[in-house]
Structure formats: C-alpha cells, structure tokens
Amino acid sequence: MEASGTTFLRDTDVWSDLQPVPQNDGPNPVVPIAYSAKFEEAMGLFRAIQALDERSPRALDLTSIIIHLNSANYTVWRYRRLVLVALGSDLWDELNFVYDIAMENSKNYQLWHHRRWCAERLGKECGDGELAFTELSLSKDAKHYHAWAHRVWVLREYDMWEGELDFCSRLIQKDMLNNSAWNQRFTVIRSYDKLGGLAAMLPQEMEYVKKHIWLDTDNESPWRYLHGLYNASAVDMHARTTGGSQPGLSIQGLREFAVLVTEKNPFCVHALSLLLDLEMQSIVTAINDEGNRSKTEGGQDSGTEASEGTTAQLKSICRLSIEKGRRLCSRLQEIDPLRKKYWHFKDGQLMSIAQRWE
Amino acid sequence: MASPSPSPSVKAQAGIGGNNPRTTLLIDKHRSYIKSLDKDTQSLDYMMTEHLRMSGVYWGLTTMNILGSLGEMDEKKVIDWVLKCQHPCGGFGGNVDHDPHILYTLSAIQILALYDKLHLLDADQIAAYISGLQLADGSFVGDEWGEVDTRFSYCAISCLSLLGRLDKIDVDRAAAYIASCKNFDGGFGCTPGGESHAGQIFCCVGALAIAGALHYVDADLLGWWLCERQVKSGGLNGRPEKLPDVCYSWWVLSSLVILDRVHWLDKDRLKAFILSCQDEERGGISDRPDDMVDVFHTFFGVAGLSLLEYPGLKHIDPAYALPVEVVQRVLSRQRQTPA
C-alpha cells in the first residue's frame, strides 16, 4: 500500500475505523502543527494504532509509509519491530525494505540499527549479503560512518575477515585520502588472527604505507597509519620483554624515509613531525641507557674515568638530538602556523629535557 | 586538505559602511531566533524533528542560558512537557508518545538541571533504568533494542553523575569499554574498531573525565589529532579530509579543553569561522557560511565561542555541556545531601 499521488489514507477502507490522534508537540501546543497534510495524517493514524497497540499487517504498512517520509523517527522503527515480531514476518523481506529506504537516504542511526537487528536474527547466513550491502553504501559514500560500523560488526560477529584486507586495499587504491579505509586496515590487522598479528604484517605494511605516503606526502591518513604501526610495534616489543628486532621497523629506515620525503616536499608537516618523534626517541633511549648503566654499576665505578666517558658520550648524543629537535620545532612553527602552539609545546618538552641533563 | 575558505555572502559583504556584521556575535538575533523556534512550526525541519524535540529544547535552552537569557523562556510549560515525556520505567522519550531512550533521558535531565528542578525526579528510579542498560562488557545500549555505542556510555555516565548515582553502574567497566574503542591515532570510535570521529571522541573523553578515568587517554597524541582538525578556513572538521562544520567547534574544542590543550589550535581563526556562519538577518548559526541555520549548530557555535571565552557569554562546562554555574550548583547540592 502506497500513500502515493493525491490519495489520502482516510479515503481508503483500511483506515476508516480509526480517528487520527493530533500531535501534542512541545512546549507550545497552541500552535497547529504544520505537517504536510499526508505526513500529518499518517502520524495521526500511527498515534491511534500505537494507543490501541495494534500489531497488524496494516500497522506494518503504516510504518512503511511513515519511514519513507521520515526515516529518522525512532519510535516508528521500534513499533515496526514489535509488529514484525507479532506477525512472525520474514526478515529477509525486511532486509529488502531497509534496502529501499537506504537507497533514499542511509544517513541515520535508526535504519542501521534496524538492519542490524534483522541480521542478528537471521544469523551467519546473511553475512555475505550484509557485506555486499555495506559495500554498496560505501560505493556511494566511502566514509559512511554507519556503513563501516555495520561492516565491522558483521566481520566480527560472523568471522568473515578473510577478504577484508583486499577490500581495504581496493578502497585505498580508489581514494588514498579515505581515512575510514585506513582505519579499517588497521582493524583488520589487529583482528584477523590468520594474518599473524602486527609483527608478522609489519614489513609488508611498512612498504605499503610508505608507498602511499610517497604518492601524496600531505595525506594525513597514511602518516597516522605509519605512526600507529610504529607505536603499536613499540608497545608489542615492550610487552614481549625479550625485545628482539622488528623486521621492517628500523629507526634508521624511518629516518631515511622521512628525510627523503622532506627533500621531495620541504613543507611536509608529517615528515618533519616524524623526524621530531625520532629525535625524541633517541633522547629517551639515551636517558634510559644512562639510567640502566648507573643501576648495573650500582654506583661502584661512578666517578671513574670510563663511567664519566660513557655519560659524556650519552650526553653528547642527547645534546645533538635536542638541537636537531629544536630546529625541527622552529621549522614546524613556521610552516604550520595554525598549530604553532603545539609545536611550541614540543619545543618546550625538548628544552626541559635539555635543562635536566645539564 | 579540503578546506574551502569562507565565502561571505554578497549580502554580508554589502553590510552598512562595508562592515561585515559577521565579525561579532549577534546575541540579540540569536535570542530571537531561539525564541522563534517553537512558533515556526510551518517548517519541514520542525515536522521531521518531532521525535528528538527533547534534545532540540535542550540545545535551545542551553544556548539561551549561555546568552544570559534563559528567563525569557516559558519555564513552566517546558518543565510540564518534559515530565510528560517520562515513562514508567524512568526513561524519557524524545517527545510525548515517543519511546524512552537514553539520549533523550540525558537531554531531559540536562533541561531540569538548567532550571534547578532535578528534585522533581525520582533519581533512584532513573538510575535503575540506566543501570539496566549496561552490558557485561561495560558498554551501554540506548534502549531495550540493543544498539551499542560509546555515545550511550557518555549519556549514562553524565546522567548518573548529575543525579549523584554513579555508584549504580560499574564505572570501571564502563571506562574500560570506552578504552577498548581507542584507536591507533589516539581517537575513539563508536564501537571497537570504529574510526575516530570528533563527536565520538567528545563522548568518550567527556565520559572518562566525569568518571575520573582520563588516564586511558593519550592526551598528547589525541590533542595533536584534534588540532589537526583545524583547516585553513579556521573551522574544524570531524575526521581527516572532511569539510569543516560548526558542530565540531564543540566536539573538538570541548575535548581539547578537558585535556587542557585547547591553546594548541588557532582560537582566533576558529572564532572568526564560527562567526562567519551566523545568519545576520534571522539569527542562528549554520554548519558552514551561508547554509541554513538550525538549533543544533546554533548551540554548538555559541557553546564553542563560550569555550573560547568570547566576551559576554557564560562559561560552559566541557564535559557536561551545561553552563559551569549549573554544574557547580548540581554537584554542590549533592555534597550537601548525599544520596
């Protein structure tokens, strides 16, 4: 049943027994509500149905009509579910209904929640269809937040990660600036055990991300991804107290890459920022080395010539890094004036380390 | 970067004496815009937003409070209507005849807090409703239909804190769930694996702040990500490569204020961007310059300016999204009369 053209619902026999209930809306009910006539009528009938708690085929039709007119009204969706349950409706058909609504406008929470409710009840059998549905939504808007959330739920719920890394690659190939696809890529590597975890994927991912940075050095997404790989690897290494080297992740390799990028694009904030991080890293390492050294020596040979020599050596590494870091900070303040204060803060961190060491 | 510079309308450029009226906050205009909202029922917007009127009213009233004009609204009508939207379970619907949901329960509580009328509520009943929405993993569903989202974690924690009943949920687990939604870029998403999004980040950081669990946040990493949301026009976007939008002035700024890093971005440029989104004739603020205004963006614009300490505005609390004086009143009353 469609409320199409100029036909009003009251002109059909189906609704002749019901008196529409007017909306008592908000703090100023004196003013008549200016719903377009058809919407007003449908909502009036809905309120009447709701008051009777009528869970019938015509109630289902009515919710279809209203949802077509306004797909964000959560109460109507909720009532629809009550009716679907009462009628024992086929939820495969319901997926088609959601599909139709999504083709009109899929930017609302209610539609996706409803879709998920159906999918939960249909079980794994609907998994492929759900992935296809999200793929279709993402083909129209590749950053569609609800579609991605639904997709992650399907992948996780039905353990369907297998083709997902390729899916991410395809989307990134289509649009390298798609941050959602980069985020998904990280999620896949973290979630799909068969890939062997971050450590196993690191060499491949480092190559992948560097290649994409090189294609557009100002693209924030792969830089964040690189940073994520780098940070997560550091955490993983820390967790496995045995340490060991991470193939694909060498500080020197990262530094060389960042330098290469700055030669290509001297205004690349992210490359300069990575260089700054690496200088910070070497300062922290030098400080830790010094700390460990004093601990193992237990203060016994402190003051000896050899010990003083090591300390002096670490200090000089540190001093050099602080100098380099501070030069980077002043360059960043110059080329990224919007975030000048952030780079000033980083500079302050370096200065306070410098003061502690002197 | 996708950062179209603001293009002031011809109208605005042709302002009297060449002055662009969009360089100061048009307080009187915004007041009359908010007051016009419940009279302007002819608009399609009004029709389509029936189900979320509770939040709309909260946005409008909080804006009026920040502008120092809450007294101009009809308090009694508002309170009577809010109370009519409560269900026997304790939760509130978005309007009369709408089902209870945690989103509108928070808006209702915020409205009553604005009017110092929280004593009209049965706090234990609402607390029982909210604690019934918490799942074993610490997350929250929005209603009995089972949608999970960190937005609902925020709603739950904010509601219960305003009611002095945080002890009715497992706060540690709630915080741990939020932490499980943290991403490699320092931001947070709607569920684990969900992309970082400034709106979700506000919910997560705000909830963690209220719950006393900000140790889960990598403040420097997230702070930088949030600052990176500022584009050349001065406005903020919510995710990389998205257009700036006034609502992110709130989501991003409030998070930065909570993390004490708001000075990292260019406040003056952001102020100018928000002001350029005003409708100098009708009042109200839109998402971007010269778009249609609405109450949502008007609230977030004014609230953003409040966080930027724009003169003449009351201060807004970045975690509760209520005027500081209201939050202080609620919390000090709780200290005087513990639950």
Side-chain angles (χ1 to χ4, degrees):
Chain A
M1 185 180 52
E2 293 284 327
S4 59
T6 53
T7 317
F8 278 89
L9 293 169
R10 62 174 173 268
D11 300 330
T12 62
D13 292 341
V14 188
W15 301 102
S16 55
D17 61 311
L18 280 185
Q19 183 63 36
V21 178
Q23 165 70 356
N24 174 13
D25 190 14
N28 201 344
V30 194
V31 183
I33 305 305
Y35 284 5
S36 71
K38 197 168 292 175
F39 190 67
E40 183 180 14
E41 184 194 38
M43 283 305 291
L45 289 171
F46 176 74
R47 281 184 282 271
I49 287 273
Q50 212 184 1
L52 295 169
D53 195 18
E54 181 185 310
R55 304 181 190 187
S56 61
R58 71 170 183 175
L60 191 65
D61 287 342
L62 184 62
T63 60
S64 304
I65 291 167
I66 298 172
I67 288 167
H68 271 288
L69 293 168
N70 181 7
S71 59
N73 189 320
Y74 73 101
T75 299
V76 178
W77 281 103
R78 186 202 117 121
Y79 197 80
R80 185 177 176 86
R81 286 190 285 277
L82 291 174
V83 178
L84 288 169
V85 171
L87 298 180
S89 303
D90 184 347
L91 294 182
W92 292 101
D93 289 344
E94 189 61 8
L95 290 182
N96 292 332
F97 171 75
V98 178
Y99 175 91
D100 291 343
I101 300 294
M103 289 308 106
E104 292 165 18
N105 176 18
S106 64
K107 290 287 179 69
N108 76 63
Y109 288 99
Q110 290 72 29
L111 177 153
W112 289 94
H113 174 215
H114 190 76
R115 181 102 196 170
R116 159 110 174 242
W117 180 83
C118 296
E120 274 173 349
R121 270 141 202 84
L122 290 169
K124 191 171 181 169
E125 223 182 307
C126 75
D128 286 329
E130 289 315 284
L131 290 185
F133 179 70
T134 56
E135 191 167 348
L136 182 67
S137 304
L138 295 172
S139 71
K140 294 176 180 190
D141 174 3
K143 298 175 188 176
H144 195 311
Y145 202 79
H146 303 297
W148 279 111
H150 189 69
R151 191 172 178 91
V152 170
W153 175 79
V154 175
L155 294 168
R156 196 160 276 159
E157 185 75 8
Y158 302 132
D159 194 17
M160 298 180 74
W161 295 102
E162 202 181 335
E164 196 59 10
L165 197 64
D166 288 341
F167 180 72
C168 295
S169 300
R170 284 206 303 281
L171 261 65
I172 290 170
Q173 195 179 8
K174 220 167 157 188
D175 176 14
M176 284 192 301
L177 302 176
N178 183 352
N179 191 62
S180 309
W182 284 100
N183 179 72
Q184 182 79 344
R185 194 174 182 93
F186 208 87
T187 302
V188 177
I189 288 170
R190 279 301 212 186
S191 309
Y192 184 34
D193 294 340
K194 283 193 187 146
L195 293 177
L198 191 71
M201 292 296 286
L202 200 60
Q204 176 192 321
E205 289 308 289
M206 286 304 271
E207 283 318 302
Y208 182 83
V209 73
K210 284 185 194 167
K211 184 181 95 187
H212 284 88
I213 288 172
W214 192 251
L215 291 170
D216 178 357
T217 54
D218 282 330
N219 182 5
E220 179 180 349
S221 300
W223 281 110
R224 296 268 174 210
Y225 189 83
L226 176 72
H227 194 262
L229 289 176
Y230 170 69
N231 261 4
S233 313
V235 172
D236 280 358
M237 275 210 281
H238 193 68
R240 294 196 317 269
T241 41
T242 48
S245 66
Q246 286 275 34
L249 187 76
S250 97
I251 300 284
Q252 193 48 34
L254 278 175
R255 199 191 305 268
E256 282 164 11
F257 174 68
V259 169
L260 215 57
V261 173
T262 56
E263 283 163 7
K264 185 180 182 185
N265 173 7
F267 300 96
C268 185
V269 169
H270 285 280
L272 294 166
S273 169
L274 174 60
L275 286 171
L276 178 58
D277 278 349
L278 296 172
E279 295 305 339
M280 285 282 209
Q281 187 60 47
S282 49
I283 295 166
V284 170
T285 310
I287 291 174
N288 287 344
D289 286 354
E290 168 64 9
N292 291 337
R293 197 190 57 78
S294 344
K295 242 186 263 164
T296 43
E297 286 173 5
Q300 284 169 7
D301 350 324
S302 56
T304 65
E305 247 171 64
S307 162
E308 275 170 13
T310 320
T311 303
Q313 208 177 2
L314 288 171
K315 271 195 180 179
S316 107
I317 293 172
C318 216
R319 204 172 290 135
L320 195 67
S321 283
I322 288 168
E323 269 170 36
K324 278 191 200 164
R326 294 206 62 192
R327 273 201 302 275
L328 286 163
C329 285
S330 87
R331 170 86 178 136
L332 281 158
Q333 289 185 64
E334 192 184 298
I335 65 172
D336 187 22
L338 281 179
R339 281 159 285 271
K340 201 173 169 174
K341 299 265 173 64
Y342 171 68
W343 302 117
H344 180 73
F345 156 81
K346 295 295 261 187
D347 188 48
Q349 279 187 325
L350 286 167
M351 277 201 294
S352 74
I353 296 170
Q355 276 161 6
R356 250 184 291 148
W357 267 70
E358 291 310 321
Chain B
M1 283 259 162
S3 55
S5 56
S7 52
S9 69
V10 178
K11 244 179 347 194
Q13 283 169 342
I16 299 162
N19 290 329
N20 185 341
R22 296 186 188 177
T23 51
T24 54
L25 185 65
L26 306 168
I27 290 181
D28 288 338
K29 293 276 183 191
H30 299 319
R31 250 184 226 137
S32 58
Y33 167 71
I34 299 285
K35 283 157 76 178
S36 78
L37 284 172
D38 65 351
K39 296 178 182 69
D40 194 13
T41 57
Q42 303 297 311
S43 69
L44 188 67
D45 270 358
Y46 198 81
M47 168 175 108
M48 291 300 179
T49 55
E50 169 201 316
H51 61 280
L52 54 82
R53 188 75 67 237
M54 189 66 76
S55 298
V57 169
Y58 152 73
W59 293 322
L61 294 177
T62 308
T63 306
M64 287 300 270
N65 185 307
I66 299 170
L67 297 175
S69 314
L70 186 62
E72 294 174 33
M73 306 304 277
D74 190 336
E75 174 177 340
K76 188 178 179 310
K77 264 190 186 167
V78 170
I79 303 289
D80 288 348
W81 170 77
V82 169
L83 294 175
K84 261 193 239 163
C85 297
Q86 193 175 23
H87 289 255
C89 65
F92 287 78
N95 205 331
V96 176
D97 292 334
H98 282 268
D99 294 316
H101 196 284
I102 198 165
L103 287 171
Y104 308 114
T105 303
L106 174 60
S107 295
I109 289 172
Q110 286 170 317
I111 293 168
L112 293 175
L114 281 174
Y115 280 121
D116 198 14
K117 288 284 187 285
L118 286 177
H119 58 273
L120 297 177
L121 298 175
D122 181 345
D124 290 318
Q125 183 203 19
I126 299 175
Y129 163 73
I130 292 172
S131 76
L133 299 174
Q134 189 171 29
L135 303 182
D137 64 359
S139 67
F140 283 84
V141 292
D143 62 15
E144 79 272 24
W145 293 95
E147 184 182 8
V148 172
D149 191 314
T150 45
R151 290 180 305 141
F152 308 147
S153 301
Y154 170 76
C155 292
I157 288 172
S158 180
C159 281
L160 291 176
S161 170
L162 290 169
L163 295 173
R165 297 292 189 281
L166 263 181
D167 57 320
K168 301 294 185 216
I169 54 165
D170 190 332
V171 176
D172 291 342
R173 259 180 209 215
Y177 177 78
I178 293 171
S180 76
C181 298
K182 184 159 90 171
N183 290 317
F184 61 89
D185 52 22
F188 295 83
C190 57
T191 44
E195 184 185 1
S196 295
H197 179 290
Q200 304 287 155
I201 291 170
F202 158 76
C203 291
C204 294
V205 172
L208 292 174
I210 296 172
L214 279 174
H215 59 275
Y216 282 120
V217 181
D218 184 339
D220 287 342
L221 181 60
L222 177 55
W224 183 39
W225 188 90
L226 289 166
C227 295
E228 279 283 316
R229 306 285 52 83
Q230 188 163 34
V231 298
K232 282 176 193 134
S233 67
L236 302 169
N237 61 21
R239 289 187 271 165
E241 296 300 327
K242 299 283 278 185
L243 291 174
D245 181 322
V246 160
C247 71
Y248 295 112
S249 310
W250 172 261
W251 309 122
V252 172
L253 267 187
S254 57
S255 306
L256 281 170
V257 172
I258 292 170
L259 300 176
D260 196 18
R261 280 155 179 79
V262 72
H263 54 287
W264 284 0
L265 49 70
D266 190 327
K267 294 192 204 178
D268 290 334
R269 299 278 298 277
L270 177 58
K271 248 182 241 180
F273 175 80
I274 299 173
L275 293 171
S276 74
C277 296
Q278 299 180 99
D279 181 334
E280 68 271 33
E281 283 172 11
R282 189 183 169 209
I285 298 174
S286 53
D287 57 351
R288 283 181 275 282
D290 300 314
D291 279 356
M292 281 289 288
V293 301
D294 59 57
V295 65
F296 175 86
H297 289 95
T298 304
F299 166 65
F300 288 116
V302 171
L305 289 171
S306 165
L307 288 179
L308 293 168
E309 296 173 318
Y310 192 92
L313 297 181
K314 290 196 194 172
H315 292 287
I316 189 160
D317 184 283
Y320 290 94
L322 283 170
V324 168
E325 60 185 32
V326 171
V327 175
Q328 282 173 348
R329 186 174 66 204
V330 170
L331 299 182
S332 76
R333 197 152 293 161
Q334 283 173 15
R335 282 193 290 273
Q336 287 157 18
T337 51

